[in-house]
Amino acid sequence: MPEGASGERERWRRERTETAAAHAAAAERARAAEAAEAHRLLELFVAEVRRLGAAPVPLRARVGAGRARTPLRGWYLRRDESLAVTVDGTFHVLTVSGGLRERLLGVDPPASDPPLHVGRGARDGESVELAELLHRRLADLGGGAGGGGAGGGAGTSRRAGPPAAG
């Protein structure tokens, strides 16, 4: 009987390990699909910004209580300048750790996978779908909001992405 109980525990352990691996693989597939869709939205945004003629700006990162130069050029996505997309369509979080040295010498924030929902888990009013954030930013840059026959009603908050070039 002890051998049977031991075999049962081993089978249970193996099944749990396989189940956990399957869940991890599914989560990774979902994350990759979300990142691919978000990258597509950013590519459309960059194309539309270029069509509008909005020049990219030098991007600066937040370092502690100050700001630091970066080698990046692009467009800020949030008014607080904490997120940006570069001219090549990469997404950057512009809040980095460091101190006086980084503020004086500059920083090079790494690109990261963009989320489809920016600020997920944040306080009310700080969380927004990436498509809506890009739409708002296009409106700030002189395109988008109410243009292209989209209207200005409640339907504009559920856009699938930035307006198509054309």
Side-chain angles (χ1 to χ4, degrees):
M1 184 109 169
E3 285 183 27
S6 170
E8 186 67 23
R9 280 194 302 266
E10 183 58 36
R11 184 181 63 76
W12 181 85
R13 214 176 288 138
R14 186 177 57 252
E15 287 175 1
R16 297 303 307 153
T17 301
E18 290 170 0
T19 300
H23 282 262
E28 177 56 27
R29 285 191 302 275
R31 188 208 58 77
E34 179 177 322
E37 176 62 15
H39 279 292
R40 185 188 70 78
L41 291 174
L42 290 175
E43 289 171 3
L44 291 171
F45 173 80
V46 170
E48 183 66 9
V49 167
R50 288 182 186 276
R51 188 190 69 75
L52 290 171
V57 298
L59 300 173
R60 296 175 55 85
R62 259 194 256 164
V63 179
R67 308 284 284 168
R69 293 181 318 273
T70 74
L72 307 172
R73 294 184 59 74
W75 302 270
Y76 293 107
L77 298 179
R78 297 191 82 144
R79 291 177 195 233
D80 68 0
E81 299 181 349
S82 61
L83 303 175
V85 61
T86 59
V87 294
D88 63 355
T90 58
F91 178 80
H92 291 265
V93 176
L94 298 177
T95 303
V96 298
S97 60
L100 182 59
R101 175 186 163 102
E102 287 75 15
R103 288 172 53 194
L104 293 174
L105 299 177
V107 295
D108 191 1
S112 57
D113 282 335
L116 280 177
H117 198 92
V118 177
R120 186 176 287 149
R123 296 183 304 221
D124 287 345
E126 293 180 3
S127 176
V128 64
E129 292 179 26
L130 179 62
E132 177 63 21
L133 181 64
L134 297 176
H135 178 69
R136 290 178 192 169
R137 188 62 181 122
L138 281 173
D140 290 345
L141 293 170
T156 59
S157 67
R158 301 294 300 173
R159 296 186 62 106

